[in-house]
Amino acid sequence: MKTAIGAAKNITWSMTLADFKEITKARLAISVVFSSIAGYLLGATEISGLSLLLLAFGGYCLVGASNAFNQVIERDLDLLMNRTRNRPIPAGRMSVNTALFLGMLMTVLGLVTLYTLNPKTAMFGAISIFLYTSVYTPLKTVTPLSVFVGAIPGAIPFMLGWVAATDEFGIEPGTLFMIQFFWQFPHFWALGWMLHEDYKRGGFKMLPTGKKDRGTAFQIIFYTFWMILISVIPVFGFTGRLHLSVTAGVIVFLMGLVMLFFAFRLYTKRDNISARKLMLASVSYITLMQLVYVIDKFLWRWI
């Protein structure tokens, strides 16, 4: 009997943890935390383990809260789409009140934690959660411009890390913001292309032309080009303390060309397979680019 009760508790705990990960979109939240840590390492003159932990915890809380609020707002629409109908709220495994409580708790914890680093970090965190929840989410069913609005909170984490490390906002975090801002468009439009039919069931307007056509594919190429250009600007010494060696710049440029290649493939083929390859290339790009920036900084300092 005790064994059966213990097994039941383990199953219940596993399901609860799985729903928490789903309501906070744990994989997305972890990738956001990774961007913040990369920004912190780029800005820091001395690395504090405690600051990194606070940044990671506060960042996860705010991303998790944003996603919880998003799923509360979109719960009826989530029921209409294959990719979202099994989320905790539409599937009936979590109540709206529970999700709201989690969202509010994580908002408070996240902002307080980031405030202990410095007020500017908390301010940008607050701007991010406000834009994502109160502007981006409602606009998704109104206009494709929602992606432009959503790209702002999506680009804040890379910049946020620098601000957390320096308590300053200037050309350096502004450049980090712009890199991730322009990256958002090819990434999310590739995802929107793949899920276009499912998004239509929920009434979401995610593609810039509303169609899987050459116009959308051209805009993906356009924004990818600007992403590459801004990513290599630190090579030329115009971005204050944010440096990038020529070797690292070439590596980042070549990685960007790979992503641009897949963008052109989507333009010529206009199929879901090409969109998926571009989406995967974009995920690889943002992660590897941030790693190259961080490694280059510490190699340059060591040399």
Side-chain angles (χ1 to χ4, degrees), residues 10-245:
N10 287 337
I11 293 172
T12 301
W13 168 249
S14 298
M15 292 176 63
T16 301
L17 180 60
D19 283 342
F20 176 79
K21 290 165 64 177
E22 181 70 22
I23 202 75
T24 60
K25 293 187 181 178
R27 291 174 63 183
L28 172 62
I30 290 170
S31 70
V32 170
V33 168
F34 179 86
S35 292
S36 297
I37 290 174
Y40 176 91
L41 293 175
L42 289 173
T45 52
E46 294 183 5
I47 297 172
S48 165
L50 177 60
S51 295
L52 282 173
L53 285 174
L54 292 172
L55 179 62
F57 179 76
Y60 189 99
C61 283
L62 290 187
V63 178
S66 298
N67 289 321
F69 291 138
N70 172 270
Q71 291 180 50
V72 168
I73 295 168
E74 295 178 351
R75 60 189 183 277
D76 294 330
L77 301 179
D78 282 347
L79 268 173
L80 305 175
M81 297 183 290
N82 295 329
R83 62 182 286 269
T84 56
R85 63 180 51 168
N86 196 44
R87 284 177 173 174
I89 299 176
R93 298 190 306 275
M94 182 180 293
S95 69
V96 171
N97 287 341
T98 299
L100 281 173
F101 173 77
L102 283 173
M104 290 186 288
L105 177 63
M106 287 187 292
T107 299
V108 173
L109 288 174
L111 291 177
V112 170
T113 302
L114 294 183
Y115 190 86
T116 61
L117 291 170
N118 58 65
K120 289 189 183 71
T121 304
M123 179 191 71
F124 283 119
I127 290 171
S128 177
I129 195 170
F130 172 78
L131 287 176
Y132 188 89
T133 303
S134 303
V135 186
Y136 166 68
T137 296
L139 281 179
K140 287 163 68 177
T141 57
V142 178
T143 172
L145 288 175
S146 62
V147 176
F148 180 88
V149 176
I152 298 172
I156 284 177
F158 201 17
M159 172 198 80
L160 190 75
W162 184 289
V163 176
T166 65
D167 194 18
E168 296 175 358
F169 180 82
I171 186 66
E172 301 93 344
T175 302
L176 299 180
F177 174 88
M178 293 305 294
I179 293 171
Q180 197 147 335
F181 177 79
F182 280 99
W183 170 84
Q184 302 276 323
F185 296 95
H187 173 73
F188 281 106
W189 282 336
L191 187 63
W193 188 295
M194 291 165 50
L195 301 172
H196 181 61
E197 287 72 24
D198 212 21
Y199 276 134
K200 284 176 66 177
R201 295 187 190 99
F204 294 119
K205 306 176 188 298
M206 304 305 290
L207 297 181
T209 66
K211 301 176 182 178
K212 295 158 61 169
D213 59 8
R214 287 186 183 273
T216 289
F218 175 79
Q219 291 198 49
I220 289 173
I221 292 171
F222 177 79
Y223 281 94
T224 303
F225 172 80
W226 280 103
M227 177 203 74
I228 296 170
L229 181 63
I230 296 169
S231 294
V232 298
I233 280 180
V235 172
F236 302 99
F238 302 142
T239 52
R241 290 200 298 112
L242 181 64
H243 300 289
L244 197 63
S245 69

Side-chain angles (χ1 to χ4, degrees), residues 269-280:
K269 295 197 171 186
R270 298 192 304 283
D271 60 5
N272 284 353
I273 294 175
S274 299
R276 176 174 173 76
K277 289 180 179 179
L278 173 60
M279 189 272 293
L280 293 174

